Amino acid sequence: MSRFLDPSPADLVMREAERLAVHPDANATVGAVLRLTGAVPDLAGLRGHVIARLAGLPCLTHVLTGDGPRARWMPAVPDMARHIRGHQVASEPKALEATVRLLLRESWTEGAPAWRMILLHGHVPDGFALLYLTHHAVQDGANVVTVMEALFGPGLLPEQFSALSRGVSSISRPRLRQALRSTVTLVRHARSHHLWRWPAHPLSSRRHTLWAQAPSAGPRTAARAGGASTNDVYLTGVAHAITQWAEHAWPRAAGLAIPVMVPVNLRTPDEVAAPGNRLFLTRIDLPGGTMPVGRRLERTRAVTPALKSAEHRTVLRAALTRLPRRLFERFVAASTVPGRLTVCASYLVVRRRLHYGEAAVHRIDPIICCPPGVPMAVVAISYGDTTSACFRIDQALPDADSLPAHWRQALADLAATAPPATGSDPALAAHTPTGRATPVVRALVTWLAQRSTAAGARRR
């Protein structure tokens, strides 16, 4: 496990973000609710089931200790009596969601692995739920999916898990031309936007926690018809929901592109279930303003190629794992000043059918965190016939609880209407927030170019 000892800068950033929260709603807890059909199991059997799989899940057996350069991932034995427990839920409608909201506010025990599993029962007569929670410094979204598949899926080889970065190696180095192209993309999206700074509604640490579901067939149909990915369709739904809401509730965002931070998964098969984050938050500017949702998908597809590029991910992987710590910290600090923080949106797919004993998982509701200064964070998980999205929204945003319904309607409209022909839209650039790249970003550009040139010289 020696290769897991050093945390990534992203791990430390997530831990620090929670320290800035003035309310537990803005903590760094993430996870998922697995809804199962079948008899409620006993806790002893569930604990034994997890113990039998711990050896392959180092993210469940390590803790992050120390600060700064002295921070390390260290082994720690979980106490199953505390990490896995039961909770009775009322049989009233929406009681499960209300219970999850309360459990999300629980703090983490110092020195113990930061995860817990809670068997929730009583809310339905023929089933139960497994609430899996962890700290974002310990596991990113891809790792949460891996843990679910390792615990409740078929036996898998490292390269068979759903949430891995395809085409990116832990030892690959970017080519010079791609490094320059990628850094231009980073610079272009490092501009200030101040979209969420409105004195009449200052951001807070209180959060709405809401879920919405849609049939998975809809985004797949819309993606095929529009020559897009299902992630393009999902992001289109997010942008459409924000623009529809902003028209009446947040006029500062009306008519402008919507800057969105998207976590690019960089986890490789040799890092399956390793503790910590293997992602790079990269910004794209989604089409804003009033337009048909099919047109919005076309314009969204035009701004997402970098998210799909293995070569671009190789550059991001190099920045995450090889960038000098101080430079990375300066880059993160520059990216998280109030004028640059914005909506976060991620999309995950669980391709394996999950079960516990005879009880089958019929739906997975994801849980995302929304750190201080972030107006809204959304994550969707596609599993089987259902895509479920979790919205964590700053309560300072007026009428924000309408956003999930707008998102669901956008997906329904996309499924019913074939997107227009392909092609980029020059009008998109006219609505992109303006500003200048920071000195930190310019330093990042220089460093990546130098590293790529050196790597090219070694190859020759």
Side-chain angles (χ1 to χ4, degrees):
M1 295 301 180
S2 59
R3 66 184 186 278
F4 301 145
L5 288 181
D6 294 329
S8 77
D11 304 340
L12 304 181
V13 167
M14 291 310 306
R15 186 173 63 175
E16 181 60 28
E18 182 169 273
R19 292 173 178 172
L20 299 176
V22 297
H23 189 276
D25 279 357
N27 64 22
T29 297
V30 296
V33 184
L34 280 66
R35 296 176 181 248
L36 297 93
T37 302
V40 178
D42 65 279
L43 283 175
L46 182 59
R47 289 166 179 154
H49 177 85
V50 175
I51 288 172
R53 289 158 176 77
L54 278 181
L57 295 169
C59 58
L60 303 187
T61 59
H62 282 71
V63 297
L64 183 56
T65 64
D67 291 300
R70 297 183 179 181
R72 294 290 183 274
W73 286 110
M74 299 301 293
V77 178
D79 178 357
M80 287 301 167
R82 297 177 61 181
H83 280 80
I84 301 178
R85 68 180 197 264
H87 187 96
Q88 179 81 34
V89 181
S91 59
E92 303 167 358
K94 303 296 182 181
L96 180 63
E97 289 84 352
T99 299
V100 171
R101 291 186 188 100
L102 288 175
L103 293 172
L104 276 172
R105 295 180 176 180
E106 289 187 359
S107 59
W108 298 101
T109 302
E110 188 73 25
W115 66 271
R116 59 177 65 102
M117 184 178 293
I118 305 172
L119 171 62
L120 302 173
H121 56 91
H123 54 287
V124 290
D126 59 345
F128 59 98
L130 293 173
L131 172 61
Y132 177 74
L133 299 175
T134 185
H135 196 288
H136 206 323
V138 183
Q139 295 176 42
D140 52 28
N143 225 358
V144 170
V145 170
T146 294
V147 169
M148 289 190 293
E149 290 185 332
L151 291 179
F152 304 112
L156 299 173
L157 297 173
E159 63 272 14
Q160 294 176 319
F161 285 89
S162 296
L164 294 175
S165 183
R166 312 296 173 182
V168 175
S169 165
S170 58
I171 60 174
S172 57
R173 293 179 179 273
R175 298 181 181 277
L176 175 59
R177 180 175 297 179
Q178 181 58 49
L180 295 176
R181 186 182 299 122
S182 294
T183 50
V184 167
T185 299
L186 291 174
V187 169
R188 188 170 64 246
H189 293 128
R191 303 176 176 124
S192 299
H193 52 81
H194 301 287
L195 196 64
W196 306 106
R197 301 186 72 181
W198 189 3
H201 298 281
L203 298 183
S204 72
S205 284
R206 299 297 299 267
R207 303 286 182 261
H208 295 289
T209 303
L210 307 167
W211 289 269
Q213 289 76 41
S216 294
R220 294 169 189 159
T221 299
R224 285 194 298 269
S229 68
T230 51
N231 187 47
D232 292 337
V233 174
Y234 162 68
L235 290 172
T236 299
V238 172
H240 204 69
I242 292 173
T243 54
Q244 296 242 307
W245 161 81
E247 186 176 349
H248 302 289
W250 202 268
R252 294 175 63 84
L256 296 177
I258 307 298
V260 175
M261 300 300 293
V262 179
V264 178
N265 178 22
L266 303 173
R267 190 174 295 272
T268 57
D270 60 323
E271 297 168 332
V272 164
N277 290 260
R278 301 296 190 278
L279 60 82
F280 195 104
L281 270 177
T282 186
R283 182 180 133 190
I284 59 175
D285 293 323
L286 295 176
T290 302
M291 69 184 73
V293 69
R295 178 62 165 161
R296 199 180 305 280
L297 174 58
E298 180 187 2
R299 291 177 58 180
T300 296
R301 190 170 63 87
V303 299
T304 58
L307 301 180
K308 309 165 189 174
S309 166
E311 292 183 334
H312 181 63
R313 292 199 303 271
T314 297
V315 176
L316 299 183
R317 170 83 190 193
L320 180 68
T321 59
R322 298 189 175 101
L323 199 66
R325 181 180 298 274
R326 288 189 177 181
L327 181 54
F328 191 93
E329 289 173 348
R330 289 175 59 203
F331 176 72
V332 170
S335 302
T336 55
V337 296
R340 291 190 175 90
L341 283 174
T342 189
V343 173
C344 295
S346 60
Y347 176 75
L348 299 162
V349 179
V350 179
R351 295 181 173 85
R352 313 298 175 182
R353 302 302 295 183
L354 308 182
H355 64 92
Y356 176 60
E358 298 298 319
V361 176
H362 62 83
R363 193 173 100 195
I364 301 175
D365 295 330
I367 297 170
I368 195 170
C369 65
C370 188
V374 175
M376 178 175 71
V378 192
V379 61
I381 283 185
S382 178
Y383 173 75
D385 296 332
T386 303
T387 295
S388 182
C390 174
F391 290 74
R392 301 295 298 275
I393 310 169
D394 193 323
Q395 292 186 14
L397 273 59
D399 196 30
D401 55 357
S402 67
L403 281 158
H406 285 304
W407 172 80
R408 186 169 49 233
Q409 186 61 51
L411 294 190
D413 292 344
L414 275 170
T417 306
T422 61
S424 60
D425 191 338
L428 182 63
H431 294 288
T432 301
T434 59
R436 295 181 178 179
T438 66
V440 174
V441 174
R442 290 195 291 271
L444 174 63
V445 171
T446 302
W447 182 87
L448 284 170
Q450 290 173 343
R451 295 289 291 181
S452 297
T453 302
R458 284 193 294 271
R459 282 195 292 269
R460 291 193 293 271

